[in-house]
Amino acid sequence: MSVLEKIAESSSNLTPNERLMVQAVIESPTAVALGTANDLAGSVGVHEATASRLARKLGYASYAAFRDALREEFIATRETATRFEKTFDGTAPDSILGNLALQEAQALGQVENAISAEQINTVAERLIRADRIFIYGYGNSEVLSLMMSKRFRRFGKDVHQLDGDPRHLAEGALGMRENDVLLTFAFRRPPRSYEALMQTAREAGTETIVISGNRGAILSPQPDHLLRAPRGGDADSFQTLVVPMTVCNAIVVAAGSQNKDKSLQELERLGQLIERFD
């Protein structure tokens, strides 16, 4: 189990100070891997002993073992990215477009290290077999919510795109039932009303899926299925939706292939209706 998976598993049991340290780990894993317990504790203004307690709570015998796990997981990943960057050294255009494309290519090259084919297929199966699909995207992730709503409607699914307004969100969540699925997104921070939405889904027996960046590891409560992959670029600067959109498209393709005959029938019917309405 990776460090971030252990963090996700323990997120509901972390104290506020431990959550601050976990956030520091997620934002700068390489720096934490190369530093000491005192460095990590000092970065968030807590005692060094708190860092040691966090390591043990995550299942490591000592802070040194926790740091070794970080080094193995993140330093190796960075070396891979560095080799990739050197491959393009001198050939990538010195422009915003070229630099951004390089960052996204690096992030996409690592996505399979974070999300397995099995996870994609499992989530796709849950969505294509659900009675109804509820999709919620807030802020920038609204575009992902819209895309996934359209894609699954084209498969003939009963899709409900939830609105970000608290009253409309409550009205939409009221209809969730067992055998339904809720899909939402969480990147820099959980979407507004995330906790209330997860609680409502759990009470209704609705399965939950979250697509996120690395900070998904500290979501509370954790969803039934978490697809977590780092996005390109610096976590503290501008980041695009290229990686999560690729994850979404992989889910769509997997869902269509799992229910191929019906999906093709619905798409053919859609084509006929488009011709009629045109």
Side-chain angles (χ1 to χ4, degrees), residues 34-110:
L34 296 174
T36 65
N38 190 53
D39 292 333
L40 174 59
S43 69
V44 297
V46 300
H47 194 274
E48 180 179 351
T50 309
S52 297
R53 284 196 297 271
L54 172 64
R56 291 193 295 273
K57 186 174 285 189
L58 296 178
Y60 297 97
S62 64
Y63 187 84
F66 170 59
R67 186 178 57 193
D68 287 344
L70 282 172
R71 288 176 177 175
E72 183 176 347
E73 186 169 338
F74 291 99
I75 302 298
T77 298
R78 180 55 199 160
E79 288 172 352
T80 300
T82 300
R83 289 196 298 271
F84 188 93
E85 189 172 0
K86 287 180 179 178
T87 301
F88 287 88
D89 190 29
T91 61
D94 186 15
S95 66
I96 293 175
L97 177 61
N99 291 334
L100 185 59
L102 181 59
Q103 290 176 358
E104 298 302 338
Q106 290 175 352
L108 287 170
Q110 298 172 25

Side-chain angles (χ1 to χ4, degrees), residues 15-228:
T15 67
N17 284 340
E18 288 167 347
R19 292 182 71 83
L20 287 174
M21 286 190 292
V22 161
Q23 187 163 333
V25 171
I26 290 172
E27 291 175 351
S28 304
T30 302
V32 176
L34 296 174
T36 65
N38 190 53
D39 292 333
L40 174 59
S43 69
V44 297
V46 300
H47 194 274
E48 180 179 351
T50 309
S52 297
R53 284 196 297 271
L54 172 64
R56 291 193 295 273
K57 186 174 285 189
L58 296 178
Y60 297 97
S62 64
Y63 187 84
F66 170 59
R67 186 178 57 193
D68 287 344
L70 282 172
R71 288 176 177 175
E72 183 176 347
E73 186 169 338
F74 291 99
I75 302 298
T77 298
R78 180 55 199 160
E79 288 172 352
T80 300
T82 300
R83 289 196 298 271
F84 188 93
E85 189 172 0
K86 287 180 179 178
T87 301
F88 287 88
D89 190 29
T91 61
D94 186 15
S95 66
I96 293 175
L97 177 61
N99 291 334
L100 185 59
L102 181 59
Q103 290 176 358
E104 298 302 338
Q106 290 175 352
L108 287 170
Q110 298 172 25
V111 71
E112 284 189 305
N113 296 329
I115 299 175
S116 68
E118 182 181 1
Q119 287 177 288
I120 292 292
N121 288 328
T122 296
V123 165
E125 189 270 338
R126 297 295 192 274
L127 288 166
I128 205 68
R129 304 296 178 194
D131 290 345
R132 293 173 301 173
I133 301 172
F134 292 81
I135 303 180
Y136 177 49
Y138 181 73
N140 289 341
S141 62
E142 284 180 329
V143 66
L144 298 176
S145 173
L146 177 62
M147 183 188 80
M148 292 298 272
S149 296
K150 286 187 173 183
R151 293 285 191 251
F152 278 91
R153 284 196 186 106
R154 291 173 183 175
F155 288 154
K157 300 301 298 181
D158 184 2
V159 180
H160 299 255
Q161 188 174 0
L162 300 177
D163 192 285
D165 176 82
R167 179 175 292 275
H168 290 167
L169 188 57
E171 291 173 351
L174 181 64
M176 291 193 293
R177 298 288 184 271
E178 192 174 352
N179 298 323
D180 294 339
V181 171
L182 168 67
L183 169 65
T184 189
F185 308 87
F187 298 115
R188 291 190 182 276
R189 59 187 62 85
R192 186 171 59 181
S193 301
Y194 171 83
E195 186 175 351
L197 192 57
M198 291 291 112
Q199 180 181 352
T200 304
R202 185 163 296 172
E203 291 170 350
T206 297
E207 203 161 1
T208 55
I209 300 167
V210 173
I211 297 174
S212 78
N214 273 339
R215 296 189 186 186
I218 56 173
L219 286 174
S220 183
Q222 284 279 298
D224 296 311
H225 305 279
L226 177 63
L227 300 183
R228 171 183 48 76

Side-chain angles (χ1 to χ4, degrees), residues 250-272:
I251 292 169
V252 170
V253 173
S257 66
Q258 288 181 16
N259 199 22
K260 188 174 181 180
D261 291 342
K262 188 175 189 307
S263 297
L264 290 176
Q265 288 174 3
E266 293 293 342
L267 290 172
E268 184 176 349
R269 173 65 173 157
L270 174 62
Q272 294 170 352

